[in-house]
């Protein structure tokens, strides 16, 4: 990706205090949504703290503002919807187990299974 224009997500979060979770489709690889969000957080002197390193990775950060001085926001980095992510999915131990028990199970099914928990 080139000429990327990032939105000021932190300002949106401050404007909408009921938001407590952000979902990313993609991880922390360069040009991934988590990667750019980390850069954005740095401009506010904030950082992500790891909650779970299993896929999907879950982080949190504290966003203090006048309305809620100690507000925790959770981020969830789901597997990318891109075809390139099929390689990482095929290496996932859970995917391998599910594929072994059902040869018709595919990477799309794996994403749906993963996404369903959060949508």
């Amino acid at each position: 990706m080139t000429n990327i224009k990032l939105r000021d997500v932190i300002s949106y979060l401050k404007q909408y205090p009921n938001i407590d979770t952000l979902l990313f489709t993609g991880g922390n690889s360069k040009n991934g949504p988590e990667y750019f969000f980390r850069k954005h957080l740095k401009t506010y002197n904030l950082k992500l703290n790891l909650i779970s390193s299993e896929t999907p990775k879950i982080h949190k950060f504290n966003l203090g503002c006048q309305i809620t001085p100690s507000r925790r926001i959770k981020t969830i980095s789901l597997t990318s919807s891109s075809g390139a992510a099929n390689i990482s999915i095929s290496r996932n131990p859970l995917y391998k187990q599910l594929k072994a028990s059902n040869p018709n199970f595919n990477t799309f099914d794996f994403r749906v299974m993963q996404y369903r928990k959060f949508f």
Side-chain angles (χ1 to χ4, degrees):
M1 293 189 288
T2 57
N3 300 321
I4 297 165
K5 183 177 178 182
L6 302 177
R7 290 184 173 87
D8 188 354
V9 176
I10 298 301
S11 290
Y12 290 130
L13 291 171
K14 288 179 178 179
Q15 187 177 353
Y16 299 99
N18 291 333
I19 297 173
D20 61 6
T21 304
L22 301 175
L23 297 174
F24 302 133
T25 52
N28 193 33
S29 62
K30 193 170 182 182
N31 287 330
E34 183 185 317
Y35 171 82
F36 286 115
F37 188 67
R38 285 175 184 274
K39 286 181 74 169
H40 178 57
L41 286 177
K42 284 182 183 179
T43 64
Y44 283 89
N45 217 18
L46 300 169
K47 75 177 221 176
L48 291 179
N49 298 303
L50 185 65
I51 295 174
S52 173
S53 61
E54 292 182 28
T55 303
K57 288 187 179 159
I58 301 174
H59 294 85
K60 70 176 180 179
F61 67 97
N62 291 320
L63 179 66
C65 61
Q66 291 177 341
I67 299 168
T68 52
S70 61
R71 180 175 162 205
R72 288 190 184 138
I73 307 292
K74 183 168 38 173
T75 67
I76 302 169
S77 296
L78 300 165
T79 302
S80 172
S81 58
S82 75
N86 290 341
I87 295 168
S88 67
I89 291 173
S90 68
R91 294 180 186 146
N92 183 296
L94 177 59
Y95 174 78
K96 289 179 181 181
Q97 177 186 356
L98 295 168
K99 181 75 171 169
S101 66
N102 176 3
N104 293 322
F105 190 77
N106 58 42
T107 56
F108 182 80
D109 297 326
F110 186 79
R111 283 184 184 88
V112 169
M113 181 186 77
Q114 185 186 89
Y115 290 15
R116 186 173 281 141
K117 294 177 188 175
F118 302 101
F119 286 99

